[in-house]
């Protein structure tokens, strides 16, 4: 199998969608439940003409709340990833031999012999030591990187979509 075919097969994985999809599912569910609850409360307490207004207000308020909440949550994850990156840069500058040894032990723990682990760690250190440590020591991958804006927008849109369901029923 050619390397291009292997890459194409890996593109099929869904991990890179986890951030926005999680936000969207939460947003849609919250939009449905929150808007329904608000509308039921208004229907029980007042006249019917306020029902649609309450539904629209609930969707607007909830979408903004979900977007900001999701953004702040994912932004904190992004900040942690950046801090970890900065720490790793510092460690690589201060003790490159110790970091190479650490990477060697990571590969040994994954089942490579000491010799092979040392060869792999050395080759990856020469190519891009920071990338090797971010990926293999900390589990940071570009396709799973925290994306606060994307998560916030997905959450707001999904909340609105979920909130429209009870509004249409009204």
């Amino acid at each position: 199998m050619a390397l291009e075919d292997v890459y194409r097969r890996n593109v099929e994985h869904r991990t890179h969608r986890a951030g926005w999809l999680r936000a969207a599912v939460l947003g849609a569910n919250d939009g449905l439940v929150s808007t329904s609850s608000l509308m039921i409360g208004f229907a029980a307490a007042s006249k019917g003409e306020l029902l649609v207004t309450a539904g629209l207000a609930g969707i607007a308020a909830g979408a903004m709340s979900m977007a900001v909440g999701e953004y702040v949550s994912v932004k904190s994850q992004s900040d942690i990833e950046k801090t970890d990156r900065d720490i790793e840069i510092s460690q690589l500058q201060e003790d490159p031999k110790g970091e190479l040894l650490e990477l060697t032990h990571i590969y040994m723990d994954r089942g490579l012999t000491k010799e092979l682990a040392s060869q792999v760690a050395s080759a990856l250190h020469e190519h891009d030591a920071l990338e090797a440590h971010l990926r293999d020591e900390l589990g940071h991958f570009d396709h799973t990187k925290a994306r606060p804006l994307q998560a916030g927008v997905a959450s707001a849109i999904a909340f609105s979509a979920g909130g429209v369901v009870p509004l249409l029923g009204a």
Side-chain angles (χ1 to χ4, degrees):
M1 181 178 294
L3 186 58
E4 295 83 25
D5 294 331
V6 171
Y7 177 74
R8 269 189 234 108
R9 284 185 53 202
N10 286 337
V11 171
E12 295 175 14
H13 292 290
R14 305 295 190 259
T15 302
H16 63 282
R17 298 180 186 171
W20 69 263
L21 183 59
R22 180 188 51 79
V25 170
L26 178 63
N29 184 59
D30 202 29
L32 180 64
V33 173
S34 297
T35 305
S36 296
S37 300
L38 182 64
M39 291 175 70
I40 289 169
F42 264 81
S46 67
K47 297 181 180 173
E49 60 270 4
L50 292 178
L51 194 58
V52 173
T53 303
L56 290 172
I59 290 171
M64 287 186 276
S65 174
M66 288 294 293
V68 170
E70 191 66 31
Y71 177 86
V72 169
S73 172
V74 176
K75 178 70 169 113
S76 64
Q77 177 185 343
S78 177
D79 291 344
I80 290 169
E81 289 174 1
K82 184 187 179 312
T83 300
D84 280 348
R85 180 184 183 86
D86 292 343
I87 290 169
E88 201 59 45
I89 289 170
S90 175
Q91 290 174 343
L92 282 165
Q93 290 172 347
E94 292 171 11
D95 186 15
K97 288 182 182 178
E99 289 296 298
L100 178 59
L101 184 60
E102 180 180 37
L103 201 57
T104 300
H105 282 284
I106 288 170
Y107 299 137
M108 288 169 54
D109 290 344
R110 291 184 183 169
L112 298 182
T113 65
K114 183 176 182 178
E115 296 77 23
L116 183 55
S118 180
Q119 289 174 345
V120 170
S122 294
L124 291 174
H125 250 248
E126 288 175 24
H127 176 70
D128 188 346
L130 179 60
E131 176 65 25
H133 280 273
L134 291 175
R135 180 188 59 242
D136 296 329
E137 179 185 343
L138 301 174
H140 292 193
F141 296 91
D142 187 53
H143 62 275
T144 59
K145 183 178 177 182
R147 292 176 173 79
L149 188 59
Q150 181 186 48
V153 169
S155 188
I157 290 170
F159 185 98
S160 299
V164 167
V165 173
L167 189 63
L168 292 174

